[in-house]
Amino acid sequence: RTTAALTDAQLDKFPFPLAVLRAMFTWPHGHAASYLSIPVALLTLLGCMSARRFGVVLLVALGIFGVLSLGRGTPVFELYRLLPGFAAFRGPERLAFLVAFLAAMGSALGVTALRFDGVAGRLVPALAVAVTFWALFAPVRLPSPLPWTVPASTLAGPPRLMTLVERYTGSGRTLLPGEAGADDIAVKHGAMHHVLGLQDYSPLSSRRLAAYLDAVVGRPARRPDAPELFLGWVPIDRPVVHPELLDMAAVTTLLVKSFVTLPPREPPFRPLARFGRWTLYQNPGALPRAFVVDRARFVATDAEALAVVTSPGFDGRREAVLVGAMQADDPPLAPSSDVEEFPARVTDDTPEHVQVALQTKRPAVLVLTDPFAPG
C-alpha cells in the first residue's frame, strides 16, 4: 500500500533471528508459518546423513534457506539482493514454505532410514511418524475459522449493526474500524451491504488516502521511508480532530470506540446505538457524494491541498482545492455573492465508471468524493 518501493524495515519489522528460531522449534501460540518441531529436525538430520550425496545437497539447501528465513537480523540477508529473483522473498515467512518442503523430504528420508527387519523395524518408523504428527498438530491451534465453518457475521458484520449502517449511510459513506476481526467488525463489511466506505481500496492513491485518514485523527504525516505500512485504514480509537474532513468525504456514519469523544459542532454527531466497545454515530453535516461549487483555488502538491482544507475558515461546501495549475482554456470561475445550490446526482455507478447529472448556470467545479487514482 505505497507508491514507493517497499523497504526492508517495512517487510520485516522485527529483525530478531532468535525469535524466529524459537518459533521453528518451540510450541507456538496459535499458527506460526515457520514452525517445524524438534522431531522433524532430528528426522531430517538422520535422513540427510543416510541419503549420501543427495542428503548433502538437501542439508546445504536447508541450511541456506533456513538462515535466510531468519530475516534481516543476520548478515546473510544481503544475499537476497544478489540472488536473481529472491527479492520477492524478502519477507522471511514467504521463504518458510521452502524450508518446510525440504524438511518434509528430509524427514521422509529419516523415517525410511529407521526401517529394518523384524517387528521392531516396523514399529520404530511408525512411532517416529506418530511423534512427528503429535508435535506438529497437538500444540498448534488455528485461531481463524475455515471458509465453510465461518459464521455469517464474520463475512457481513453483526446483523443489527450493519442494518443501521445500511439505513443511515444511504448514498454517502461509512467509516468502520480497521481492526480486522475485532468484535466481528471490519472495513470491508460495508461492501456486503452495498455501502461505500471511506477506506476504499485504491492502491494507486494510498499515500494520499493515508494522509487524509491520518489528518482526520490528527496523526502526523508519515515519512515515505517509515517502517509502518499503510494498511488502508486508521483505527478509530483516538479523538477526531478534523470532523470537516469527514463532511467533505461524504461520511454519513462512523463507528468509533465508545470512549472516543467526538467534537461538539452544529449540527452535532448523533449517536445511533452502542455495540459492545463501539458506538455508531450519524453525521448530519456530511456533504453528498457529488456536488458542485463555484469557487476553486490551485495548489502545487497534495500536502498543500490537505493543509488548505484543514485550515480555519475553509468552507468545503463553497470551494474546491485543485492540485495543479489552471490551464489557459479553463473558463474563469466567477463566484457569486448569493448562495445558490447546484444540484448533482449520480445516475450511473460502476467500479470504473461514474456518471453524474448536474445543472449549473455558470462555470463551476464538480466534486466527486471518491478516492482519486491516477489514470
Side-chain angles (χ1 to χ4, degrees):
R1 294 292 188 94
T2 172
T3 55
L6 290 175
T7 64
D8 294 333
Q10 289 173 325
L11 286 170
D12 183 14
K13 297 182 182 180
F14 309 105
F16 309 121
L18 290 180
V20 181
L21 199 62
R22 282 195 298 270
M24 287 182 177
F25 300 112
T26 58
W27 292 352
H29 299 288
H31 172 65
S34 57
Y35 180 53
L36 293 176
S37 84
I38 292 176
V40 167
L42 294 176
L43 282 174
T44 299
L45 183 61
L46 175 63
C48 290
M49 293 173 59
S50 66
R52 298 182 181 180
R53 286 182 294 181
F54 177 72
V56 172
V57 173
L58 189 62
L59 194 60
V60 169
L62 255 173
I64 293 174
F65 295 129
V67 172
L68 284 176
S69 67
L70 296 180
R72 64 187 178 96
T74 62
V76 297
F77 184 80
E78 296 302 318
L79 286 174
Y80 278 105
R81 296 176 177 80
L82 301 177
L83 298 175
F86 269 72
F89 294 95
R90 276 159 56 215
E93 285 197 345
R94 291 189 175 187
L95 209 59
F97 84 95
L98 272 179
V99 178
F101 176 69
L102 296 173
M105 295 177 63
S107 57
L109 292 172
V111 171
T112 304
L114 289 174
R115 295 184 60 185
F116 50 89
D117 295 334
V119 177
R122 292 190 293 273
L123 289 178
V124 170
L127 180 62
V129 170
V131 170
T132 300
F133 267 76
W134 180 85
L136 284 175
F137 298 111
V140 177
R141 297 290 182 267
L142 285 176
S144 58
L146 298 171
W148 50 88
T149 61
V150 65
S153 61
T154 302
L155 294 176
R160 178 169 163 259
L161 167 64
M162 297 313 299
T163 297
L164 290 176
V165 169
E166 188 172 359
R167 180 191 308 168
Y168 287 99
T169 302
S171 59
R173 280 194 165 74
T174 187
L175 180 61
L176 297 178
E179 302 173 14
D183 303 326
D184 287 333
I185 303 169
V187 167
K188 295 182 179 179
H189 284 155
M192 297 289 290
H193 299 265
H194 307 285
V195 174
L196 292 175
L198 176 58
Q199 311 99 312
D200 285 339
Y201 176 57
S202 297
L204 292 177
S205 61
S206 59
R207 183 173 295 171
R208 175 182 289 183
L209 182 59
Y212 199 90
L213 291 173
D214 285 339
V216 169
V217 294
R219 289 181 56 163
R222 304 171 193 234
R223 304 189 320 272
D225 60 342
E228 181 185 4
L229 274 175
F230 173 56
L231 299 177
W233 60 76
V234 172
I236 307 300
D237 57 0
R238 58 180 69 199
V240 174
V241 175
H242 289 289
E244 68 275 12
L245 293 181
L246 299 178
D247 299 343
M248 287 186 273
V251 174
T252 54
T253 58
L254 62 155
L255 188 69
V256 299
K257 293 283 182 67
S258 295
F259 61 81
V260 172
T261 57
L262 296 179
R265 59 191 314 217
E266 289 298 332
F269 288 100
R270 175 191 168 204
L272 296 174
R274 290 192 63 173
F275 299 88
R277 301 179 297 160
W278 305 90
T279 301
L280 180 67
Y281 288 89
Q282 184 183 24
N283 178 21
L287 287 162
R289 183 182 170 202
F291 58 97
V292 176
V293 296
D294 60 356
R295 300 178 187 176
R297 72 177 81 176
F298 289 87
V299 295
T301 65
D302 288 347
E304 291 179 57
L306 189 57
V308 170
V309 298
T310 54
S311 61
F314 179 79
D315 186 2
R317 288 169 170 76
R318 299 283 292 161
E319 185 178 12
V321 180
L322 307 177
V323 177
M326 186 173 181
Q327 303 299 311
D329 56 348
D330 286 342
L333 296 179
S336 173
S337 58
D338 61 319
V339 178
E340 184 177 359
E341 293 293 333
F342 298 131
R345 182 171 52 91
V346 176
T347 58
D348 186 20
D349 187 13
T350 61
E352 297 191 14
H353 181 257
V354 179
Q355 182 171 319
V356 181
L358 59 95
Q359 293 178 349
T360 177
K361 299 177 182 178
R362 55 180 179 269
V365 176
L366 170 66
V367 180
L368 180 67
T369 64
D370 289 0
F372 172 77

